[in-house]
Amino acid sequence: MKLSESKVIKNLNRLATIVLAFYVVFLFQQFFTSSSPASSKAVKSYEVYNVKLNYFTNKVDEDPLKSWFNDTVVIQKTDRALVHLRFRTYDQLFSLPAILFQFSIVVYWLIIGIIIFLIKVFFQSLTKDKVFTAKNASIIIWGSLLLICLPIARWFSQELFVSCINQLSLNDSKYALSNGEGIIASETIIGLIILAFGLAFKVGVKIKEENESFV
C-alpha cells in the first residue's frame, strides 16, 4: 500500500492543516487585540510564564523537614509565576525596551509557526508518496534546529521582558523579577534527537540517489 492511500497519513496531514490554521488565527489575535481587561485601561498586555520571583519576606516555615518526612501530601512552593505586563500608554508601548521585547515575542511566535509549517509540508509530501527526498531531509534538519532554538529565543524574550519592566519602572508589585528560563530545555533534547535522525535520513537519501543513478 502506498503512503498516499494511508488513512493515518491523510489524517495527520489534515490535523497539521488545522493546527496551522489555528496558529494563524492566534497570531492575528495577538497582533490586533490588546489582550487587556477593559477596566485596566491598558493599550496592550502580554503574559509571560515562568518568571522568577524574589520574595520580599523573611518568614521561615516551622520545621520544614518534619513536614517533608511525615506529611502524606507534601506541597512545595515555587518562585515562578505568570506575569501580566500592561502598557497603559502608547509612549510605553513604543519605547525602545518595549519594542525590543515585542520583537523578541514575534520572533518566538514565528519560530513556532515555521515549525508547524514544516510539519505540514512534510506530511503533504507523504500524501504524494514523496518520502526519501532531499527536501524532506532538509525539512527534518531545519525543523530540529528551530526546535533547539526555541528555549534560546524564550530566554532572550524573558530577559528583554524583565529589562523592559525595570527600565520603564513598571513594576508596582511586591516582588523583584528575574529571568527564570534556561537556554537548554526539553525542546533541546528532542531537537537533538530529531537532528540526528535528520542527518541519518539525509545520508540515506544520498545513498538512494547514488544507487538510482548507478542503475
Side-chain angles (χ1 to χ4, degrees):
M1 183 180 69
K2 294 182 179 180
L3 280 176
S4 58
E5 299 173 354
S6 172
K7 291 184 178 179
V8 174
I9 297 299
K10 289 180 179 179
N11 288 332
L12 287 173
N13 183 48
R14 293 190 188 103
L15 179 61
T17 303
I18 293 171
V19 172
L20 184 60
F22 272 109
Y23 168 79
V24 172
V25 172
F26 164 80
L27 206 59
F28 272 95
Q29 182 184 13
Q30 293 298 318
F31 281 144
F32 299 108
T33 61
S34 66
S35 304
S36 307
S39 58
S40 70
K41 297 180 180 179
V43 296
K44 183 67 177 176
S45 294
Y46 290 94
E47 297 178 358
V48 175
Y49 295 87
N50 206 32
V51 179
K52 188 175 181 180
L53 303 180
N54 295 318
Y55 297 93
F56 294 137
T57 177
N58 294 320
K59 183 180 178 180
V60 179
D61 294 334
E62 297 180 0
D63 198 3
L65 286 179
K66 182 179 179 180
S67 298
W68 175 261
F69 288 111
N70 296 330
D71 290 357
T72 303
V73 177
V74 179
I75 299 175
Q76 290 181 279
K77 295 180 181 179
T78 70
D79 59 351
R80 306 303 167 95
L82 167 63
V83 177
H84 300 258
L85 172 59
R86 296 170 180 172
F87 295 106
R88 300 191 183 278
T89 66
Y90 285 103
D91 287 339
Q92 293 177 348
L93 182 63
F94 294 111
S95 63
L96 181 59
I99 290 174
L100 291 175
F101 161 66
Q102 292 174 90
F103 178 75
S104 70
I105 286 288
V106 171
V107 170
Y108 181 73
W109 288 337
L110 287 179
I111 291 175
I112 295 175
I114 294 172
I115 292 173
I116 296 172
F117 177 74
L118 290 177
I119 293 172
K120 162 62 183 172
V121 173
F122 179 77
F123 283 123
Q124 183 70 35
S125 67
L126 296 185
T127 61
K128 297 178 180 179
D129 293 319
K130 297 179 180 179
V131 183
F132 294 102
T133 64
K135 179 181 178 181
N136 282 348
S138 297
I139 288 173
I140 296 171
I141 292 172
W142 279 107
S144 65
L145 292 175
L146 289 172
L147 198 60
I148 294 170
C149 288
L150 268 181
I152 301 173
R154 197 161 53 234
W155 182 89
F156 271 109
S157 179
Q158 192 168 129
E159 192 72 19
L160 292 171
F161 175 77
V162 174
S163 176
C164 175
I165 292 175
N166 292 335
Q167 289 187 50
L168 299 180
S169 301
L170 300 177
N171 190 359
D172 54 1
S173 70
K174 298 179 180 179
Y175 306 101
L177 309 179
S178 58
N179 194 342
E181 293 289 350
I183 60 175
I184 297 176
S186 57
E187 295 98 329
T188 308
I189 307 301
I190 296 171
L192 288 172
I193 294 172
I194 297 175
L195 178 60
F197 171 76
L199 292 173
F201 190 91
K202 185 176 181 180
V203 172
V205 170
K206 286 184 178 180
I207 294 174
K208 175 177 175 292
E209 290 175 347
E210 289 175 359
N211 289 338
E212 289 177 347
S213 63
F214 178 76
V215 174

